[in-house]
Amino acid sequence: MTTLSPGREVPVRGRHALQRSIAWYLRQLSKVLSVLSDEELERLIPMLAERSFRPRQVLFQAGDPPERVYLLLKGRVKIYQVAENGKEIILDVVGKGGVVGDMAIVEDNERIACAAAIDDTVAVSISWEDFSHLLQQSPKLGFAMMELMARRLAGMQRTFMNIVSKPVSARLADTLLNRQEDGAVFLGLTHQELAQTIGTSRETVTALLSRFSALGAIVPIPDGYRIVDEDLLDDIANGDLSVSPRHPVSAQPSTMTP
């Protein structure tokens, strides 16, 4: 699927077949759009415009008016805020099939966060005006969007609460536990980006991951880590066991012996 808008006139029968094909693809790609009927999806397709973004290219900035909503076909986008000291805090990372810009529903005529591509990204977008009209016409879509935003707001709240209330080792352990799938954690982030999600430095993240490995909580695997002692990592995440990024682990803590 290279484009959602044919560059030349397509016969009616062919155009309908193309729209059905695109509608099927969008339904498979996005849980949000899967709630729409075939008729609703086919009405949506002509409103979509495709756009590509280079790594680090900004989709929108805090303070911008909410003009468009994006559905990612490829790549990843980070949602972040910039602190007064200039440091970025990553609130969310959205991947293929995810929606970016939906928070305009609760924003007061301006964006409250920034969005930028992490890697080469392709998205289709719809104007906020058209999207608002679609929400009004489809209660199922409105409910799906509210569920999405509730999860996103809960995740952002968790991020901020962790930053202000937990030591950095607990924040990192909590992030690993929340990102695991069947015991494997494929971060998809550099150590710098991971540091920006928990409000610390790249050096601290690198040191702590080494400490977690030395403790036997995780082991490196290609593109990530495998959790081998979830109870230990859970103790770190809960603050029951403090791990310092400054001092190498010389031995297993006595509190962890059977």
Side-chain angles (χ1 to χ4, degrees):
M1 179 177 175
T2 58
T3 181
L4 290 174
S5 301
R8 57 187 176 82
E9 188 66 24
V10 178
V12 173
R13 182 178 299 176
R15 185 162 62 247
H16 287 168
L18 177 60
Q19 286 189 326
R20 285 194 298 271
S21 176
I22 294 172
W24 179 88
Y25 177 79
L26 292 176
R27 182 173 283 112
Q28 301 303 309
L29 177 71
S30 169
K31 291 182 179 179
V32 171
L33 296 187
S34 67
V35 303
L36 295 176
S37 66
D38 291 341
E39 182 181 351
E40 288 172 325
L41 268 175
E42 289 179 15
R43 287 203 307 267
L44 169 67
I45 290 167
M47 305 177 191
L48 300 176
E50 186 173 302
R51 185 175 174 187
S52 298
F53 298 93
R54 302 182 304 277
R56 295 181 294 281
Q57 185 174 352
V58 173
L59 282 71
F60 53 80
Q61 295 182 334
D64 288 349
E67 295 179 344
R68 304 196 73 80
V69 178
Y70 301 85
L71 172 67
L72 303 191
L73 306 181
K74 171 189 174 184
R76 294 171 301 151
V77 168
K78 63 179 180 180
I79 311 297
Y80 64 98
Q81 290 183 334
V82 181
E84 290 185 1
N85 60 6
K87 290 185 178 180
E88 288 184 8
I89 299 175
I90 296 179
L91 305 175
D92 197 10
V93 175
V94 183
K96 179 179 177 181
V99 178
V100 175
D102 53 290
M103 293 300 292
I105 294 176
V106 295
E107 293 166 338
D108 187 17
N109 296 320
E110 65 178 37
R111 301 289 191 187
I112 59 175
C114 309
I118 293 177
D119 31 41
D120 288 324
T121 298
V122 179
V124 289
S125 69
I126 181 174
S127 72
W128 176 243
E129 183 180 358
D130 286 339
F131 189 68
S132 298
H133 180 73
L134 187 62
L135 287 174
Q136 295 170 13
Q137 297 299 313
S138 175
K140 287 184 178 180
L141 179 61
F143 184 74
M145 291 303 303
M146 293 305 294
E147 284 188 320
L148 173 64
M149 285 187 297
R151 290 195 300 271
R152 185 161 290 165
L153 286 170
M156 291 180 182
Q157 183 181 38
R158 184 188 185 97
T159 295
F160 283 123
M161 288 300 296
N162 282 349
I163 288 175
V164 301
S165 65
K166 287 187 174 184
V168 64
S169 60
R171 302 199 298 263
L172 179 57
D174 187 68
T175 297
L176 295 177
L177 288 168
N178 283 319
R179 288 178 174 268
Q180 72 161 317
E181 292 184 10
D182 298 325
V185 184
F186 299 104
L187 294 172
L189 299 170
T190 65
H191 285 190
Q192 177 63 42
E193 291 163 344
L194 183 56
Q196 290 171 337
T197 68
I198 60 174
T200 189
S201 67
R202 177 189 59 79
E203 293 80 7
T204 296
V205 164
T206 300
L208 282 173
L209 288 172
S210 175
R211 307 296 187 267
F212 291 177
S213 294
L215 283 168
I218 60 175
V219 293
I221 58 175
D223 300 320
Y225 294 87
R226 179 166 295 281
I227 297 175
V228 293
D229 192 335
E230 187 169 343
D231 289 339
L232 174 57
L233 202 60
D234 195 53
D235 284 340
I236 298 172
N238 291 332
D240 297 331
L241 175 64
S242 179
V243 179
S244 170
R246 296 180 179 86
H247 306 292
V249 178
S250 57
Q252 195 83 340
S254 58
T255 56
M256 300 308 298
T257 55

Coordinates of all heavy atoms in Angstrom, one line a residue, residues 157-249:
Q157 N 0.0 9.9 33.5 CA -0.1 10.1 35.0 C 0.9 9.2 35.7 O 1.6 9.6 36.6 CB -1.5 9.9 35.5 CG -1.6 10.2 37.0 CD -3.0 9.9 37.4 OE1 -3.7 8.9 37.0 NE2 -3.5 10.7 38.3
R158 N 1.0 8.0 35.2 CA 1.9 7.0 35.8 C 3.4 7.5 35.6 O 4.2 7.4 36.6 CB 1.7 5.6 35.2 CG 2.6 4.5 35.8 CD 2.5 3.3 35.0 NE 3.2 2.2 35.6 CZ 2.6 1.2 36.4 NH1 1.3 1.3 36.6 NH2 3.4 0.3 36.9
T159 N 3.7 8.0 34.4 CA 5.0 8.5 34.2 C 5.4 9.6 35.1 O 6.5 9.6 35.8 CB 5.1 9.0 32.7 OG1 4.9 7.9 31.8 CG2 6.5 9.6 32.5
F160 N 4.5 10.6 35.3 CA 4.8 11.7 36.1 C 4.9 11.3 37.6 O 5.7 11.8 38.3 CB 3.7 12.8 36.0 CG 3.9 13.6 34.7 CD1 2.9 13.7 33.8 CD2 5.1 14.3 34.5 CE1 3.1 14.5 32.6 CE2 5.3 15.1 33.3 CZ 4.3 15.1 32.4
M161 N 4.0 10.4 38.0 CA 4.0 10.0 39.4 C 5.3 9.2 39.7 O 5.9 9.4 40.8 CB 2.8 9.1 39.7 CG 1.5 9.9 39.8 SD 1.5 11.2 41.1 CE 1.6 10.1 42.6
N162 N 5.7 8.4 38.8 CA 7.0 7.7 39.0 C 8.2 8.6 39.1 O 9.0 8.4 39.9 CB 7.2 6.7 37.8 CG 6.4 5.4 38.0 OD1 5.8 5.2 39.0 ND2 6.3 4.6 36.9
I163 N 8.2 9.6 38.2 CA 9.3 10.6 38.2 C 9.4 11.3 39.6 O 10.5 11.5 40.1 CB 9.2 11.6 37.1 CG1 9.5 10.8 35.7 CG2 10.1 12.8 37.2 CD1 9.3 11.7 34.5
V164 N 8.3 11.7 40.1 CA 8.3 12.5 41.4 C 8.3 11.7 42.6 O 8.7 12.2 43.7 CB 7.1 13.5 41.4 CG1 7.1 14.4 40.3 CG2 5.8 12.7 41.5
S165 N 8.0 10.4 42.6 CA 7.9 9.6 43.8 C 8.8 8.4 43.9 O 8.9 7.8 45.0 CB 6.4 9.1 44.0 OG 6.1 8.2 42.9
K166 N 9.4 8.0 42.8 CA 10.2 6.8 42.8 C 11.7 7.1 42.5 O 12.0 7.9 41.7 CB 9.7 5.7 41.8 CG 8.4 5.1 42.2 CD 8.1 3.9 41.3 CE 6.8 3.1 41.7 NZ 6.6 2.0 40.8
P167 N 12.6 6.3 43.1 CA 14.0 6.4 42.6 C 14.2 5.9 41.2 O 13.3 5.2 40.7 CB 14.8 5.5 43.6 CG 13.8 4.5 44.1 CD 12.5 5.3 44.1
V168 N 15.3 6.3 40.6 CA 15.4 6.0 39.1 C 15.5 4.5 38.9 O 14.9 4.0 37.8 CB 16.6 6.7 38.6 CG1 17.9 6.2 39.2 CG2 16.7 6.6 37.1
S169 N 16.1 3.7 39.8 CA 16.1 2.3 39.6 C 14.7 1.7 39.5 O 14.4 0.8 38.8 CB 17.0 1.6 40.6 OG 16.4 1.8 41.9
A170 N 13.8 2.2 40.4 CA 12.4 1.7 40.4 C 11.7 2.1 39.2 O 10.9 1.3 38.6 CB 11.7 2.3 41.7
R171 N 12.0 3.3 38.7 CA 11.3 3.8 37.4 C 11.7 2.9 36.3 O 10.9 2.5 35.4 CB 11.6 5.2 37.2 CG 11.2 6.1 38.3 CD 11.1 7.6 37.9 NE 12.3 8.2 37.4 CZ 13.2 8.9 38.2 NH1 12.9 9.1 39.5 NH2 14.2 9.5 37.6
L172 N 13.0 2.6 36.2 CA 13.4 1.7 35.1 C 12.9 0.3 35.2 O 12.4 -0.3 34.2 CB 15.0 1.7 35.0 CG 15.6 0.9 33.9 CD1 15.2 1.3 32.6 CD2 17.1 0.9 34.0
A173 N 12.9 -0.3 36.4 CA 12.3 -1.6 36.6 C 10.9 -1.6 36.2 O 10.4 -2.6 35.6 CB 12.6 -2.1 38.0
D174 N 10.1 -0.6 36.6 CA 8.7 -0.5 36.3 C 8.5 -0.5 34.8 O 7.6 -1.1 34.3 CB 8.1 0.7 37.0 CG 6.6 0.8 36.9 OD1 5.9 -0.1 37.5 OD2 6.1 1.7 36.1
T175 N 9.3 0.3 34.1 CA 9.2 0.4 32.6 C 9.5 -1.0 32.0 O 8.7 -1.4 31.1 CB 10.2 1.4 32.1 OG1 9.9 2.7 32.6 CG2 10.2 1.5 30.6
L176 N 10.5 -1.7 32.4 CA 10.8 -3.0 31.9 C 9.6 -4.0 32.1 O 9.2 -4.7 31.2 CB 12.0 -3.6 32.5 CG 13.3 -2.8 32.2 CD1 14.5 -3.5 33.0 CD2 13.6 -2.8 30.7
L177 N 9.0 -4.0 33.3 CA 7.9 -4.8 33.6 C 6.7 -4.5 32.7 O 6.0 -5.4 32.3 CB 7.6 -4.8 35.1 CG 8.6 -5.4 36.0 CD1 8.3 -5.0 37.5 CD2 8.5 -6.9 35.9
N178 N 6.4 -3.2 32.5 CA 5.3 -2.8 31.7 C 5.4 -3.1 30.2 O 4.4 -3.2 29.5 CB 4.9 -1.4 32.0 CG 4.3 -1.1 33.3 OD1 3.4 -1.9 33.7 ND2 4.7 -0.1 34.0
R179 N 6.7 -3.2 29.8 CA 6.9 -3.4 28.3 C 7.1 -4.8 28.0 O 7.3 -5.2 26.8 CB 8.1 -2.6 27.9 CG 7.8 -1.1 27.8 CD 9.1 -0.3 27.4 NE 8.8 1.1 27.2 CZ 8.5 1.6 26.0 NH1 8.4 0.9 25.0 NH2 8.3 2.9 25.9
Q180 N 7.1 -5.7 29.0 CA 7.4 -7.1 28.7 C 6.2 -7.8 27.9 O 5.1 -7.5 28.1 CB 7.7 -7.9 29.9 CG 6.5 -8.2 30.8 CD 6.8 -9.3 31.8 OE1 7.4 -10.3 31.5 NE2 6.4 -9.1 33.1
E181 N 6.6 -8.7 27.1 CA 5.6 -9.6 26.4 C 6.2 -11.0 26.5 O 7.2 -11.3 25.9 CB 5.4 -9.2 25.0 CG 4.7 -7.9 24.8 CD 4.4 -7.6 23.4 OE1 4.6 -8.4 22.5 OE2 4.0 -6.4 23.1
D182 N 5.5 -11.9 27.3 CA 6.0 -13.3 27.5 C 7.4 -13.3 28.0 O 8.2 -14.1 27.6 CB 5.9 -14.1 26.2 CG 4.5 -14.2 25.7 OD1 3.6 -14.3 26.6 OD2 4.2 -14.2 24.5
G183 N 7.7 -12.4 28.9 CA 9.1 -12.3 29.5 C 10.1 -11.6 28.8 O 11.2 -11.4 29.3
A184 N 9.9 -11.2 27.5 CA 10.8 -10.5 26.7 C 10.5 -9.0 26.6 O 9.3 -8.7 26.5 CB 10.9 -11.1 25.3
V185 N 11.5 -8.2 26.7 CA 11.3 -6.8 26.6 C 12.1 -6.3 25.4 O 13.3 -6.2 25.4 CB 11.9 -6.1 27.9 CG1 11.6 -4.6 27.8 CG2 11.3 -6.7 29.1
F186 N 11.3 -5.9 24.3 CA 12.0 -5.3 23.1 C 11.7 -3.8 23.2 O 10.6 -3.4 22.9 CB 11.4 -6.0 21.9 CG 11.6 -7.5 21.8 CD1 10.6 -8.4 22.0 CD2 12.9 -8.0 21.5 CE1 10.8 -9.7 22.0 CE2 13.1 -9.3 21.4 CZ 12.1 -10.2 21.7
L187 N 12.7 -3.1 23.7 CA 12.5 -1.7 24.0 C 12.1 -0.9 22.7 O 11.3 0.0 22.8 CB 13.7 -1.1 24.7 CG 14.0 -1.7 26.0 CD1 15.4 -1.2 26.5 CD2 12.9 -1.3 27.0
G188 N 12.8 -1.1 21.6 CA 12.6 -0.3 20.4 C 13.0 1.2 20.7 O 12.7 2.1 19.9
L189 N 13.8 1.4 21.7 CA 14.3 2.7 22.0 C 15.8 2.7 22.3 O 16.3 1.7 22.8 CB 13.6 3.3 23.3 CG 12.1 3.4 23.3 CD1 11.6 3.7 24.7 CD2 11.7 4.5 22.3
T190 N 16.5 3.8 22.0 CA 17.9 3.9 22.4 C 17.9 4.2 23.9 O 16.9 4.5 24.6 CB 18.6 5.1 21.7 OG1 17.9 6.3 22.2 CG2 18.4 5.0 20.2
H191 N 19.1 4.0 24.5 CA 19.2 4.3 26.0 C 18.9 5.7 26.3 O 18.3 6.1 27.3 CB 20.6 4.0 26.4 CG 20.9 2.5 26.6 ND1 22.0 2.0 27.2 CD2 20.1 1.4 26.2 CE1 21.9 0.6 27.2 NE2 20.8 0.3 26.5
Q192 N 19.2 6.6 25.3 CA 18.8 8.0 25.5 C 17.3 8.2 25.5 O 16.8 9.0 26.4 CB 19.4 8.9 24.4 CG 19.1 10.4 24.4 CD 19.7 11.0 25.7 OE1 20.8 10.8 26.1 NE2 18.8 11.9 26.3
E193 N 16.6 7.6 24.6 CA 15.2 7.7 24.5 C 14.5 7.1 25.8 O 13.5 7.6 26.3 CB 14.6 7.1 23.2 CG 15.0 7.9 22.0 CD 14.8 7.1 20.7 OE1 14.7 5.9 20.8 OE2 14.9 7.7 19.6
L194 N 15.1 5.9 26.2 CA 14.6 5.3 27.4 C 14.8 6.2 28.6 O 13.9 6.3 29.5 CB 15.3 3.9 27.6 CG 14.8 3.1 28.8 CD1 13.3 2.8 28.7 CD2 15.6 1.8 28.8
A195 N 15.9 6.8 28.7 CA 16.2 7.8 29.8 C 15.1 8.9 29.8 O 14.7 9.3 30.8 CB 17.6 8.4 29.6
Q196 N 14.7 9.4 28.6 CA 13.8 10.5 28.5 C 12.4 10.0 28.9 O 11.6 10.9 29.3 CB 13.7 11.0 27.1 CG 15.0 11.8 26.7 CD 15.0 12.1 25.2 OE1 14.4 11.5 24.4 NE2 15.8 13.2 24.9
T197 N 12.1 8.7 28.9 CA 10.8 8.3 29.4 C 10.7 8.2 30.9 O 9.6 8.2 31.5 CB 10.4 6.9 28.8 OG1 11.3 5.9 29.4 CG2 10.5 6.9 27.3
I198 N 11.9 8.2 31.6 CA 11.8 8.0 33.1 C 12.5 9.2 33.8 O 12.8 9.2 35.0 CB 12.5 6.7 33.5 CG1 13.9 6.6 33.1 CG2 11.7 5.5 33.0 CD1 14.7 5.3 33.6
G199 N 12.9 10.2 33.0 CA 13.4 11.4 33.6 C 14.8 11.3 34.2 O 15.1 11.7 35.3
T200 N 15.7 10.7 33.4 CA 17.1 10.6 33.9 C 18.1 10.7 32.7 O 17.7 11.2 31.6 CB 17.3 9.2 34.6 OG1 18.6 9.2 35.2 CG2 17.2 8.0 33.7
S201 N 19.3 10.3 32.9 CA 20.3 10.4 31.8 C 20.6 9.1 31.2 O 20.3 8.0 31.7 CB 21.6 11.0 32.4 OG 22.2 10.0 33.3
R202 N 21.2 9.2 30.0 CA 21.5 7.9 29.2 C 22.5 7.1 30.0 O 22.4 5.9 30.1 CB 22.1 8.3 27.9 CG 22.5 7.1 27.0 CD 23.3 7.5 25.8 NE 24.5 8.3 26.1 CZ 25.6 7.8 26.6 NH1 25.7 6.5 26.7 NH2 26.7 8.6 26.8
E203 N 23.5 7.8 30.6 CA 24.5 7.1 31.4 C 23.9 6.3 32.5 O 24.3 5.2 32.8 CB 25.6 8.1 31.9 CG 26.4 8.7 30.8 CD 25.7 9.9 30.1 OE1 24.6 10.3 30.6 OE2 26.3 10.4 29.2
T204 N 22.9 6.9 33.2 CA 22.3 6.2 34.3 C 21.5 5.0 33.9 O 21.6 3.9 34.5 CB 21.3 7.2 35.0 OG1 22.1 8.2 35.6 CG2 20.6 6.5 36.2
V205 N 20.8 5.1 32.7 CA 20.1 3.9 32.2 C 21.0 2.8 31.9 O 20.8 1.6 32.2 CB 19.2 4.3 31.0 CG1 18.8 3.1 30.2 CG2 18.0 5.1 31.4
T206 N 22.1 3.1 31.2 CA 23.1 2.1 30.8 C 23.7 1.4 32.0 O 23.8 0.2 32.1 CB 24.2 2.8 30.0 OG1 23.7 3.4 28.8 CG2 25.2 1.7 29.5
A207 N 24.0 2.2 33.0 CA 24.6 1.6 34.3 C 23.6 0.7 35.0 O 23.9 -0.4 35.4 CB 25.1 2.7 35.2
L208 N 22.3 1.2 35.1 CA 21.3 0.4 35.8 C 21.0 -0.9 35.1 O 20.8 -1.9 35.7 CB 20.1 1.2 36.0 CG 20.1 2.3 37.1 CD1 18.9 3.1 37.1 CD2 20.3 1.6 38.5
L209 N 20.9 -0.9 33.8 CA 20.7 -2.1 33.0 C 21.8 -3.1 33.3 O 21.5 -4.3 33.4 CB 20.5 -1.8 31.5 CG 19.2 -1.1 31.1 CD1 19.3 -0.7 29.6 CD2 18.0 -2.0 31.3
S210 N 23.0 -2.6 33.4 CA 24.1 -3.5 33.7 C 24.0 -4.0 35.1 O 24.2 -5.2 35.4 CB 25.4 -2.7 33.6 OG 26.5 -3.5 34.0
R211 N 23.5 -3.2 36.1 CA 23.3 -3.7 37.4 C 22.2 -4.7 37.5 O 22.3 -5.7 38.2 CB 22.9 -2.5 38.4 CG 23.9 -1.3 38.3 CD 25.3 -1.6 38.8 NE 26.1 -0.4 38.9 CZ 26.9 0.1 37.9 NH1 27.0 -0.6 36.8 NH2 27.5 1.2 38.1
F212 N 21.1 -4.5 36.8 CA 20.0 -5.4 36.8 C 20.5 -6.8 36.2 O 20.1 -7.9 36.7 CB 18.9 -4.9 35.9 CG 18.1 -3.7 36.5 CD1 17.1 -3.2 35.8 CD2 18.5 -3.2 37.7 CE1 16.4 -2.1 36.3 CE2 17.8 -2.1 38.3 CZ 16.7 -1.6 37.5
S213 N 21.4 -6.7 35.2 CA 21.9 -8.0 34.6 C 22.8 -8.7 35.7 O 22.7 -9.9 35.8 CB 22.7 -7.7 33.4 OG 21.8 -7.2 32.3
A214 N 23.6 -7.9 36.4 CA 24.5 -8.5 37.3 C 23.8 -9.1 38.5 O 24.2 -10.1 39.1 CB 25.5 -7.4 37.9
L215 N 22.6 -8.6 38.8 CA 21.8 -9.1 39.9 C 21.0 -10.4 39.5 O 20.5 -11.1 40.3 CB 20.8 -8.1 40.4 CG 21.3 -7.0 41.3 CD1 20.2 -5.9 41.4 CD2 21.6 -7.5 42.7
G216 N 21.0 -10.6 38.2 CA 20.3 -11.8 37.7 C 18.8 -11.5 37.4 O 18.0 -12.5 37.2
A217 N 18.4 -10.2 37.3 CA 17.0 -9.9 37.1 C 16.7 -10.0 35.6 O 15.6 -10.4 35.2 CB 16.7 -8.5 37.6
I218 N 17.6 -9.6 34.7 CA 17.4 -9.7 33.3 C 18.7 -10.2 32.6 O 19.8 -10.2 33.2 CB 17.1 -8.2 32.7 CG1 18.3 -7.3 33.0 CG2 15.8 -7.7 33.3 CD1 18.2 -5.9 32.4
V219 N 18.5 -10.7 31.4 CA 19.7 -11.0 30.6 C 19.5 -10.4 29.2 O 18.4 -10.3 28.7 CB 19.8 -12.6 30.4 CG1 20.2 -13.2 31.7 CG2 18.6 -13.2 29.8
P220 N 20.6 -9.9 28.6 CA 20.5 -9.3 27.2 C 20.1 -10.4 26.2 O 20.5 -11.5 26.2 CB 21.9 -8.8 27.0 CG 22.6 -8.7 28.3 CD 22.0 -9.8 29.1
I221 N 19.3 -10.0 25.3 CA 18.9 -10.7 24.1 C 19.0 -9.8 22.9 O 19.0 -8.5 23.1 CB 17.5 -11.4 24.2 CG1 16.4 -10.3 24.4 CG2 17.5 -12.4 25.3 CD1 15.0 -10.9 24.4
P222 N 19.0 -10.2 21.7 CA 19.0 -9.3 20.5 C 17.8 -8.3 20.6 O 16.7 -8.7 20.8 CB 18.9 -10.3 19.3 CG 19.5 -11.5 19.8 CD 19.1 -11.6 21.2
D223 N 18.2 -7.0 20.5 CA 17.2 -5.9 20.5 C 16.4 -5.8 21.8 O 15.4 -5.1 21.9 CB 16.1 -6.1 19.4 CG 16.8 -6.2 18.0 OD1 17.7 -5.4 17.8 OD2 16.4 -7.0 17.2
G224 N 16.9 -6.3 22.9 CA 16.2 -6.1 24.2 C 16.8 -7.0 25.3 O 18.0 -7.3 25.4
Y225 N 15.9 -7.4 26.2 CA 16.3 -8.1 27.4 C 15.2 -9.2 27.7 O 14.0 -9.0 27.3 CB 16.4 -7.2 28.6 CG 17.5 -6.2 28.5 CD1 17.4 -5.0 27.9 CD2 18.8 -6.6 29.0 CE1 18.4 -4.1 27.8 CE2 19.9 -5.7 28.9 CZ 19.6 -4.4 28.3 OH 20.7 -3.6 28.2
R226 N 15.6 -10.2 28.4 CA 14.6 -11.2 28.9 C 14.6 -11.1 30.4 O 15.7 -11.1 31.0 CB 15.0 -12.6 28.4 CG 14.0 -13.7 29.0 CD 14.1 -15.0 28.2 NE 13.7 -14.9 26.8 CZ 12.5 -14.9 26.4 NH1 11.5 -14.9 27.2 NH2 12.3 -14.8 25.1
I227 N 13.4 -11.1 31.0 CA 13.3 -11.0 32.4 C 13.4 -12.5 33.0 O 12.6 -13.3 32.6 CB 11.9 -10.4 32.8 CG1 11.9 -8.9 32.4 CG2 11.7 -10.5 34.3 CD1 10.6 -8.3 32.6
V228 N 14.4 -12.7 33.8 CA 14.6 -14.1 34.3 C 14.3 -14.2 35.8 O 14.1 -15.3 36.3 CB 16.1 -14.5 34.1 CG1 16.4 -14.7 32.6 CG2 17.1 -13.5 34.7
D229 N 14.1 -13.0 36.5 CA 13.7 -13.0 37.9 C 12.7 -11.9 38.0 O 13.1 -10.8 38.4 CB 14.9 -12.9 38.8 CG 14.5 -13.1 40.3 OD1 13.3 -13.0 40.6 OD2 15.4 -13.5 41.0
E230 N 11.4 -12.1 37.7 CA 10.4 -11.1 37.8 C 10.2 -10.6 39.2 O 9.9 -9.4 39.4 CB 9.1 -11.6 37.1 CG 8.1 -10.5 37.0 CD 6.9 -11.0 36.2 OE1 7.0 -12.0 35.4 OE2 5.8 -10.3 36.2
D231 N 10.3 -11.5 40.2 CA 10.1 -11.1 41.6 C 11.1 -10.1 42.0 O 10.8 -9.1 42.7 CB 10.1 -12.3 42.5 CG 8.9 -13.2 42.3 OD1 7.9 -12.7 41.8 OD2 9.0 -14.4 42.7
L232 N 12.4 -10.3 41.6 CA 13.4 -9.4 41.9 C 13.2 -8.1 41.3 O 13.3 -7.0 41.9 CB 14.8 -10.0 41.5 CG 16.0 -9.1 41.7 CD1 16.2 -8.6 43.1 CD2 17.3 -9.8 41.2
L233 N 12.8 -8.1 40.0 CA 12.6 -6.8 39.3 C 11.4 -6.1 39.9 O 11.4 -4.9 40.0 CB 12.4 -7.1 37.8 CG 12.6 -6.0 36.8 CD1 14.0 -5.5 36.9 CD2 12.3 -6.4 35.4
D234 N 10.4 -6.9 40.3 CA 9.2 -6.3 41.0 C 9.6 -5.6 42.3 O 9.1 -4.6 42.7 CB 8.2 -7.4 41.2 CG 6.8 -6.8 41.5 OD1 6.3 -5.9 40.8 OD2 6.2 -7.1 42.6
D235 N 10.5 -6.2 43.1 CA 11.0 -5.6 44.3 C 11.7 -4.3 44.0 O 11.6 -3.3 44.8 CB 12.0 -6.6 45.0 CG 11.3 -7.7 45.7 OD1 10.1 -7.6 46.0 OD2 11.9 -8.8 46.0
I236 N 12.5 -4.3 42.9 CA 13.2 -3.0 42.6 C 12.1 -2.0 42.2 O 12.2 -0.8 42.6 CB 14.2 -3.2 41.4 CG1 15.2 -4.2 41.9 CG2 14.8 -1.9 41.0 CD1 16.2 -4.7 40.7
A237 N 11.1 -2.4 41.4 CA 10.1 -1.4 40.9 C 9.3 -0.9 42.1 O 8.9 0.3 42.0 CB 9.2 -2.1 39.9
N238 N 9.1 -1.7 43.1 CA 8.3 -1.2 44.2 C 9.1 -0.4 45.3 O 8.5 0.1 46.2 CB 7.6 -2.5 45.0 CG 6.6 -3.1 44.1 OD1 5.9 -2.4 43.3 ND2 6.4 -4.4 44.3
G239 N 10.4 -0.4 45.0 CA 11.2 0.4 46.0 C 11.7 -0.4 47.1 O 12.3 0.1 48.1
D240 N 11.4 -1.8 47.2 CA 11.8 -2.6 48.3 C 13.3 -2.9 48.2 O 13.9 -3.3 49.2 CB 11.0 -4.0 48.3 CG 9.5 -3.7 48.5 OD1 9.2 -2.8 49.1 OD2 8.7 -4.6 47.9
L241 N 13.9 -2.8 47.0 CA 15.3 -3.0 46.8 C 15.9 -1.9 46.0 O 15.4 -1.7 44.9 CB 15.6 -4.4 46.1 CG 17.0 -4.7 45.8 CD1 17.9 -4.8 47.1 CD2 17.1 -6.0 45.0
S242 N 16.8 -1.1 46.6 CA 17.4 0.0 45.9 C 18.7 -0.4 45.2 O 19.5 -1.1 45.7 CB 17.7 1.1 46.9 OG 18.3 2.2 46.2
V243 N 18.8 0.0 43.9 CA 19.9 -0.3 43.1 C 20.6 1.0 42.7 O 19.9 1.8 42.1 CB 19.6 -1.2 41.9 CG1 20.8 -1.5 41.1 CG2 18.9 -2.5 42.3
S244 N 21.9 1.1 43.0 CA 22.6 2.3 42.7 C 23.2 2.3 41.3 O 23.8 1.3 40.9 CB 23.6 2.6 43.7 OG 24.5 3.7 43.3
P245 N 23.0 3.3 40.5 CA 23.7 3.3 39.2 C 25.2 3.6 39.3 O 26.0 3.5 38.3 CB 23.0 4.5 38.4 CG 22.5 5.4 39.5 CD 22.2 4.5 40.7
R246 N 25.6 4.0 40.5 CA 27.0 4.5 40.6 C 28.0 3.4 41.2 O 29.2 3.5 41.0 CB 27.1 5.7 41.6 CG 26.4 6.9 41.1 CD 26.4 8.1 42.1 NE 25.8 9.2 41.6 CZ 24.5 9.5 41.7 NH1 23.7 8.6 42.3 NH2 23.9 10.6 41.2
H247 N 27.4 2.4 41.8 CA 28.2 1.3 42.4 C 27.9 0.0 41.8 O 26.8 -0.5 41.9 CB 28.0 1.3 43.9 CG 28.2 2.6 44.6 ND1 29.4 3.2 44.7 CD2 27.3 3.5 45.2 CE1 29.3 4.4 45.3 NE2 28.0 4.6 45.6
P248 N 28.9 -0.7 41.2 CA 28.7 -2.0 40.6 C 28.2 -3.0 41.7 O 28.5 -2.9 42.8 CB 30.0 -2.4 40.1 CG 30.8 -1.1 39.9 CD 30.3 -0.2 41.0
V249 N 27.4 -3.9 41.2 CA 26.9 -5.0 42.1 C 28.0 -6.0 42.3 O 28.4 -6.7 41.3 CB 25.6 -5.6 41.5 CG1 25.1 -6.7 42.5 CG2 24.5 -4.5 41.4

